[in-house]
Amino acid sequence: MTDSSFNSDCGTATESDPRKLLTDGGTGKGLVTFESDATVSDSVQRVKEVLEEKDAIRLMAEIDHEANAATVDRDLRPTTVLVFGNPDVGTPLMQSAPSLAIDLPMKLLVMEADDGTVTVSYNDPAYLADRHDLTGEDERLETAADALSTLAAVAAGKA
């Protein structure tokens, strides 16, 4: 996530950016959500392609909750979580606030709602910093926020 060119083509969503669907929906849960123009599968593939090109961020896991639900004869709309990170950014954050390890590595949730709308969500790093009383790491948090915003915009087809 320290690759400064990571965001150069995509830009970064801000509070007034129309690419951002909502920030935590007023729930106080610290989620940032984009609406995607593609299926869950296609949105996930977009992120995976970007991550393959970037050495700074490594994909650690892909969790297909729909497929997992099917193994116990349950139905679930398409729901995938991508887990990824950069130890050079995350390790110092966890050194400053060890409980942050429960929320790292970073994740993107890509899911389809009952009405067919696909959304891409992530935890707002500022919310996580507050949750874990993390201070003095503004630059790393900004780097994480920029990377998450960019990846969510890529997944949603907004970049």
Side-chain angles (χ1 to χ4, degrees):
M1 291 183 322
T2 58
D3 181 354
S4 62
S5 67
F6 187 78
N7 294 313
S8 63
D9 294 331
C10 301
T12 302
T14 62
E15 290 298 326
S16 62
D17 192 325
R19 294 181 298 176
K20 187 184 292 185
L21 179 64
L22 56 103
T23 301
D24 80 30
T27 64
K29 294 181 182 176
L31 294 176
V32 178
T33 300
F34 290 71
E35 184 172 340
S36 181
D37 66 358
T39 64
V40 168
S41 178
D42 288 344
S43 298
V44 166
Q45 187 58 37
R46 289 171 178 168
V47 174
K48 289 168 65 174
E49 288 172 3
V50 169
L51 291 177
E52 286 174 8
E53 296 172 4
K54 301 296 177 183
D55 291 331
I57 304 175
R58 182 173 47 120
L59 180 63
M60 298 173 184
E62 177 179 348
I63 304 164
D64 183 338
H65 289 293
E66 179 187 29
N68 289 337
T71 67
V72 292
D73 297 321
R74 300 272 186 168
D75 291 327
L76 186 66
R77 299 199 63 77
T79 305
T80 300
V81 175
L82 296 173
V83 181
F84 52 91
N86 176 336
D88 192 42
V89 175
T91 301
L93 294 174
M94 289 183 284
Q95 288 170 331
S96 295
S99 64
L100 188 59
I102 193 76
D103 288 312
L104 293 180
M106 297 183 296
K107 299 159 201 71
L108 282 181
L109 166 62
V110 186
M111 65 181 188
E112 181 181 305
D114 289 339
D115 67 1
T117 301
V118 173
T119 57
V120 182
S121 300
Y122 62 88
N123 285 313
D124 183 346
Y127 173 82
L128 294 178
D130 185 54
R131 178 180 183 195
H132 298 281
D133 296 321
L134 178 66
T135 59
E137 293 288 351
D138 292 346
E139 187 174 328
R140 281 189 180 89
L141 289 169
E142 186 175 323
T143 297
D146 287 348
L148 285 162
S149 175
T150 298
L151 286 171
V154 166
K158 311 295 184 194

